[in-house]
Amino acid sequence: MSTSKGKDIAEGSSSSRAVVQAAAAASQPLSRYESQKRRDWNTFGQYLRNQRPPVALSQCSSNHVLDFLRYLDQFGKTKVHLQGCLFFGQAEPPGPCTCPLRQAWGSLDALIGRLRAAYEENGGLPETNPFASGAIRVYLREVRDSQAKARGIPYKKKKKKRNLMKDNSSNNNNLPMQ
């Protein structure tokens, strides 16, 4: 063992701190979100490697992401009625039909959020993030709208909650003086 290595550890050099931090991080179990994000990232990487020819992450575009989302549809569990189906537009269909099972919009939206974060955590630049492209947002919006139509339930954007203190103070200003 060299004396400089011992000196680095004793002085708390940045390299020794990084090793200690990495060891501490490795000993703590990942959160459910972090483990799902890692699993999704590995799945997407495997999908790119299985393409013919294989696609390097640096060459990945929003088109590859869209193809990946379409590929995932075959593993979906959400019944999405087609336009010609008797149950199209019914939230609770009375019987079975042959319409396909697809990935639910909420699942795809959450997946894109995790992959978007994982891309940047793995060295990708936000400006080149294929998961953040407009084409992905348009695709997700179309999936959301078509699934809502197929179920007969219009998608309503949640309204932002207003600050109650702010509301109360503005309401008090409009009260007549007694």
Side-chain angles (χ1 to χ4, degrees), residues 5-21:
K5 186 175 181 184
K7 184 178 175 189
D8 285 347
I9 293 172
E11 292 177 359
S13 71
S14 61
S15 62
S16 64
R17 269 184 267 144
V19 169
V20 170
Q21 288 172 344

Side-chain angles (χ1 to χ4, degrees), residues 138-156:
V138 167
Y139 177 79
L140 288 174
R141 190 177 316 120
E142 288 172 356
V143 168
R144 180 193 70 199
D145 293 347
S146 69
Q147 289 185 5
K149 249 187 225 171
R151 295 181 61 217
I153 302 170
Y155 174 80
K156 291 187 174 91

